[in-house]
């Protein structure tokens, strides 16, 4: 008889685990329980009146061959014209003329990465680069002050007891205050002095002024940077219709292989007997269903997993209940145009600015980032030549004042901030749409420093495997979640008892990228 595998969560981690199991063995029956009406987790793509929203922005870039192979197996890379139209065999120049509806739908596009910081009405490269534009925008005095501040950080090192000290040690206090402090505190709703330094170690490992200088030097002399940090990548892949297209395809493959995906179903109980999980209970359309299994793979938040589990020690419950998360809201705005001018040398077919993201560093603006969906893929926008479709990201806590704002008031606040930034004219707003995302970011404060005690407890449950961003309470990337799933499946197939390798997947610095 086949062993039954129950997977909680149909995000990148859960779907990858199911796909990997079913393609590598015929010994398993797989069922996935998903809370939402759509697969993909925070990597899903939401459609609104023909326009598609990528929640959070997801670049397809990995140094894992296995991840890349899976991506390109499902969505092959499509040759796309360069901006000077030198490539052959392409009828239209996507950069200047817009998308061609006759091209294949199931493809990856090769995209140029352009992300900048918007600070005091000026654009700065992100990650921060050393060039004349940066120096010009900073001004002579700020540049000199930043230089001395950085040199001081080389001599006087702070003990890395907080995220603030982590940034100061790598960039100096001046650059930290200009380009990191405000945005980071918007994300977490806490002062950087209160956040554990391990978040920085996980997300911006290897990135520093030294890395920026080395990269600038190699660019100047046309030296190939073989060990380029992930945060300095210049190109990435992107599914034609957004990241959700990838996960919808994976879900289709899982069903073809005999797997089952149950949507709109919330796990309400985890039944544990001794050192094993024996069943879960989920609610669907006000009806509760109990599902037994031999193996359980969880990508649900650790906090919820422990809360739903029976017979858990008080101390483990205390730590897990104190694990913090940040939620976020994306406000989509359909516009006739942006008033921000393209002053770069990069050509964009609708005369738009070329950025995928704008990081809003100004403290007077609540907004954290602006996504310009036209630049991720013009196929996300129904009328991509005549309209601009953007996503405005706000970080908050579920249930707080901003989270509970009526949609119209939320959109009005976003519009007001863009007008204040001189990014749009109010009369150019055509439509709006809001999406709320719970537990998008596992946070590194409160009881986070005691997480290891919970991890040790979970690892002793013999048939339970925790994977993914929330499943491990790690602020990791999409490919890290997939790699966790690959490793978990390998442990299962080889019947290994030690799960340490699953938790260590994304600890190597070359895999990290600051988003």
């Amino acid at each position: 008889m086949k062993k039954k595998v129950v997977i909680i969560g149909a995000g990148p981690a859960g779907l990858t685990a199911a796909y990997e199991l079913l393609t590598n063995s015929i010994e398993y029956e797989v069922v996935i329980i998903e809370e939402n009406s759509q697969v993909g987790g925070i990597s899903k793509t939401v459609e609104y009146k023909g326009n598609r929203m990528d929640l959070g922005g997801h670049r397809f870039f990995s140094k894992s061959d296995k991840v890349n192979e899976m991506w390109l197996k499902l969505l092959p890379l499509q040759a796309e014209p360069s901006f000077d139209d030198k490539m052959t065999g392409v009828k239209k120049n996507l950069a200047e003329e817009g998308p061609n509806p006759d091209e294949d739908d199931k493809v990856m596009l090769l995209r140029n990465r352009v992300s900048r910081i918007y600070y005091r009405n000026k654009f700065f490269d992100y990650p921060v680069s050393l060039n004349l534009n940066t120096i010009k925008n900073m001004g002579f005095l700020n540049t000199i002050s930043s230089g001395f501040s950085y040199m001081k950080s080389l001599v006087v090192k702070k003990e890395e007891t907080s995220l603030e000290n982590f940034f100061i040690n790598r960039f100096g206090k001046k650059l930290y205050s200009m380009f990191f402090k405000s945005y980071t505190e918007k994300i977490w709703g806490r002062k950087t002095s209160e956040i554990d330094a391990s978040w920085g170690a996980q997300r911006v490992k290897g990135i520093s002024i030294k890395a920026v200088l080395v990269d600038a030097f190699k660019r100047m002399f046309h030296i190939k940077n073989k060990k380029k940090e992930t945060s300095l990548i210049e190109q990435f892949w992107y599914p034609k219709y957004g990241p959700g297209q990838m996960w919808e395809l994976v879900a289709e493959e899982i069903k073809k292989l005999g797997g089952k995906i149950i949507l709109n179903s919330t796990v309400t109980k985890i039944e544990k007997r001794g050192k094993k999980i024996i069943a879960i209970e989920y609610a669907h359309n006000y009806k509760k269903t109990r599902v037994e299994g031999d193996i359980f793979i969880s990508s649900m938040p650790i906090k919820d997993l422990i809360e739903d589990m029976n017979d858990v020690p008080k101390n483990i419950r205390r730590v897990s209940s104190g694990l913090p998360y940040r939620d976020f809201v994306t406000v989509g705005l359909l516009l006739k145009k942006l008033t921000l001018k393209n002053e770069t040398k990069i050509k964009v077919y609708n005369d738009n600015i070329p950025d995928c993201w704008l990081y809003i560093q100004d403290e007077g603006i609540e907004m954290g980032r602006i996504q310009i969906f036209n630049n991720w893929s013009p196929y996300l926008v129904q009328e991509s030549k005549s309209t601009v479709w953007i996503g405005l990201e706000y970080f908050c806590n579920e249930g707080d004042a901003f989270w509970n704002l009526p949609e119209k008031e939320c959109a009005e606040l976003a519009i007001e901030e863009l007008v204040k930034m001189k990014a749009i004219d109010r009369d150019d707003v055509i439509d709006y749409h809001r999406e709320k995302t719970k537990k998008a970011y596992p946070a590194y404060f409160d009881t986070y420093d005691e997480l290891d005690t919970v991890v040790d407890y979970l690892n002793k449950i013999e048939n339970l495997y925790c994977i993914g961003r929330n499943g491990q309470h790690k602020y990791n990337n999409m490919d890290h979640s997939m790699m966790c799933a690959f490793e978990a499946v390998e442990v299962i197939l080889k019947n290994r008892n030690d799960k340490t390798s699953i938790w260590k997947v994304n600890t190597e610095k070359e895999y990290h990228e600051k988003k």
Side-chain angles (χ1 to χ4, degrees), residues 33-44:
I33 310 298
E34 169 56 42
E35 182 178 18
N36 295 301
S37 60
Q38 187 176 348
V39 301
I42 63 171
S43 297
K44 67 184 176 184

Side-chain angles (χ1 to χ4, degrees), residues 110-127:
L110 181 64
R111 312 305 291 153
N112 289 314
R113 171 181 177 153
V114 183
S115 295
R116 291 183 290 177
I117 296 169
Y118 193 71
Y119 177 63
R120 295 185 178 177
N121 298 320
K122 294 179 180 178
F123 291 103
F124 294 85
D125 290 343
Y126 179 81

Side-chain angles (χ1 to χ4, degrees), residues 8 48 142 307 368 493:
I8 304 173
Y48 174 72
N142 269 333
E307 183 179 341
L493 293 178

Side-chain angles (χ1 to χ4, degrees), residues 45-315:
T45 302
V46 176
E47 185 173 349
Y48 174 72
K49 294 183 180 179
N51 297 300
R52 293 174 170 85
M53 297 176 65
D54 180 353
L55 303 181
H58 294 84
R59 300 187 185 100
F60 284 66
F61 174 87
S62 180
K63 293 188 178 181
S64 165
D65 290 339
K66 194 167 185 178
V67 168
N68 291 329
E69 286 169 8
M70 179 174 165
W71 282 341
L72 292 182
K73 180 181 179 181
L74 293 162
L75 288 174
L77 182 62
Q78 173 181 286
E80 185 178 336
S82 60
F83 290 117
D84 57 11
D85 203 21
K86 288 181 179 177
M87 293 180 68
T88 59
V90 180
K91 294 180 180 179
K92 278 198 172 187
N93 187 324
L94 180 59
E96 295 180 355
E97 297 183 35
N100 181 356
D102 297 326
E103 293 170 344
D104 292 337
D105 282 338
K106 294 182 179 181
V107 292
M108 286 275 202
L109 305 178
L110 181 64
R111 312 305 291 153
N112 289 314
R113 171 181 177 153
V114 183
S115 295
R116 291 183 290 177
I117 296 169
Y118 193 71
Y119 177 63
R120 295 185 178 177
N121 298 320
K122 294 179 180 178
F123 291 103
F124 294 85
D125 290 343
Y126 179 81
V128 179
S129 61
L130 186 67
N131 55 35
L132 291 176
N133 183 65
T134 300
I135 295 171
K136 177 184 174 182
N137 285 345
M138 286 178 64
F140 179 75
L141 292 178
N142 269 333
T143 301
I144 296 298
S145 175
S146 297
F148 279 115
S149 176
Y150 173 62
M151 285 189 285
K152 180 181 177 181
S153 73
L154 295 177
V155 179
V156 183
K157 289 291 184 183
K158 293 179 175 288
E159 185 181 357
E160 293 190 355
T161 54
S162 68
L163 186 56
E164 179 177 66
N165 290 352
F166 176 92
F167 280 128
I168 291 173
N169 282 345
R170 283 154 184 78
F171 298 94
K173 192 169 185 178
K174 183 71 175 180
L175 286 176
Y176 152 71
S177 64
M178 290 176 66
F179 297 129
F180 295 94
K181 186 176 187 295
S182 176
Y183 175 74
T184 305
E185 291 182 351
K186 285 178 188 178
I187 292 180
W188 301 115
R190 296 283 185 98
K191 293 181 179 179
T192 51
S193 59
E194 299 173 0
I195 302 172
D196 196 290
S198 57
W199 181 83
Q202 182 165 333
R203 297 298 290 183
V204 292
K205 239 178 183 181
I207 299 302
S208 63
I209 291 297
K210 179 182 176 181
V212 171
L213 290 172
V214 169
D215 187 62
F217 176 82
K218 289 185 176 182
R219 283 168 180 265
M220 187 182 302
F221 292 98
H222 305 287
I223 301 171
K224 188 174 181 180
N225 196 346
K226 294 181 180 179
K227 293 185 178 181
K228 196 176 189 69
E229 297 294 343
T230 311
S231 286
L232 299 176
I233 63 167
E234 296 174 352
Q235 290 185 318
F236 59 92
W237 302 332
Y238 192 79
K240 184 173 180 177
Y241 294 110
Q245 182 182 14
M246 171 64 70
W247 302 113
E248 287 157 11
L249 284 173
V250 175
E252 288 176 15
E253 291 299 314
I254 289 168
K255 292 174 184 177
K256 289 178 185 177
L257 292 165
K260 186 177 182 181
I261 301 174
I262 304 173
L263 301 175
N264 298 306
S265 301
T266 303
V267 172
T268 55
K269 185 183 293 185
I270 312 286
E271 289 186 40
K272 183 168 67 72
R273 183 180 298 164
K275 292 185 177 181
K276 286 190 175 184
I277 305 295
I278 60 169
I280 68 163
E281 180 185 83
Y282 67 87
H284 177 81
N285 289 336
Y286 303 103
K287 178 185 176 182
K288 290 186 177 180
T289 303
R290 184 175 178 273
V291 179
E292 295 184 352
D294 301 293
I295 295 169
F296 294 83
I297 299 175
S298 173
S299 65
M300 72 187 293
I302 288 178
K303 184 175 186 175
D304 297 339
L305 177 71
I306 294 293
E307 183 179 341
D308 293 340
M309 191 181 294
N310 65 293
D311 194 26
V312 176
K314 287 183 179 180
N315 188 52

